[in-house]
Amino acid sequence: MKTKFTLAIFFLHFTSLFSQTDSSVAIYSSLDTLKYYDVELVSGPGKSCHELDFRLKKIKYWVDCKEVSEKEYMKYYVPNDQLGDCKPCYLETLDKNDHLLTAGVQYTDCPVGDWFEYYPDGKIKVNGHYKENLTGNWDDLYARGYCAIKNGTWTYYAEDGSVTKKEIYKDGVLVQEKTADG
């Protein structure tokens, strides 16, 4: 009897994870994709990105402390209000060489769905899922428990593509962990 009950609980949990993902496909399929560069941007008068001198008149531009043209600087510049337009969106974070670092569904700075992290060579490093807001109400996600709450399976990969660890979360609580060696 105990085994049947445990299997029934597992089946309900397992199917709820997939039904959540299926319903999210309809909600998130038409999202805009926003690209954001994870670089250090500095502009101003000065000799280097760490030695600004506001007595100088010429504005210089730096990306990760390398002097660049204004045009190149503007490639990486994303105004904060543009990130505020991510309500929700599919956000891709890139390095200065346009390599994908992370990708996932977000509402402003709050991940709320599928999530991916990548190695510099483009291979998947982490594939996981955050709790989704399927209510359509995007007000006060933090207080309502929808912001960056791990929910479902998180899989971690080595650089060779092999799985190193799997974790299962339910509403932010780790309920199961399995490493590749045991």
Side-chain angles (χ1 to χ4, degrees):
M1 181 69 174
K2 185 176 182 182
T3 304
K4 288 182 183 178
F5 180 72
T6 304
L7 286 173
I9 296 288
F10 174 77
F11 179 75
L12 288 172
H13 175 68
F14 187 75
T15 56
S16 71
L17 291 175
F18 280 96
S19 65
Q20 181 177 14
T21 302
D22 291 342
S23 58
S24 68
V25 170
I27 290 173
Y28 298 136
S29 64
S30 63
L31 292 179
D32 290 334
T33 298
L34 177 65
K35 294 181 186 292
Y36 180 80
Y37 287 91
D38 186 15
V39 294
E40 178 186 10
L41 297 174
V42 177
S43 66
K47 299 174 186 166
S48 75
C49 70
H50 296 295
E51 295 181 38
L52 296 181
D53 184 347
F54 291 98
R55 295 172 294 176
L56 301 174
K57 301 211 187 285
K58 184 178 179 195
I59 301 295
K60 293 185 178 182
Y61 300 91
W62 294 274
V63 174
D64 287 341
C65 279
K66 178 185 171 212
E67 191 171 347
V68 298
S69 67
E70 180 181 7
K71 181 179 178 179
E72 185 173 349
Y73 175 90
M74 294 309 291
K75 170 188 172 184
Y76 302 109
Y77 178 75
V78 176
N80 287 336
D81 61 341
Q82 188 175 355
L83 284 177
D85 290 341
C86 183
K87 294 186 176 179
C89 74
Y90 192 79
L91 184 66
E92 294 179 342
T93 304
L94 304 126
D95 68 12
K96 70 180 176 185
N97 298 314
D98 288 318
H99 296 131
L100 193 58
L101 301 173
T102 65
V105 178
Q106 287 203 189
Y107 185 85
T108 62
D109 63 344
C110 176
V112 291
D114 289 331
W115 186 257
F116 301 91
E117 294 177 20
Y118 298 90
Y119 286 106
D121 66 2
K123 292 180 183 172
I124 293 180
K125 183 177 186 178
V126 178
N127 176 12
H129 195 83
Y130 288 105
K131 186 175 180 181
E132 294 186 52
N133 174 25
L134 301 176
T135 68
N137 175 5
W138 295 96
D139 296 332
D140 216 4
L141 291 181
Y142 288 100
R144 292 177 39 228
Y146 283 107
C147 187
I149 305 296
K150 290 183 176 182
N151 199 45
T153 302
W154 283 72
T155 306
Y156 299 82
Y157 300 90
E159 289 190 63
D160 67 4
S162 63
V163 174
T164 60
K165 176 172 67 170
K166 282 192 177 199
E167 300 171 334
I168 298 177
Y169 288 86
K170 178 66 177 157
D171 292 326
V173 177
L174 179 65
V175 294
Q176 184 181 5
E177 180 177 10
K178 185 176 183 181
T179 58
D181 56 3

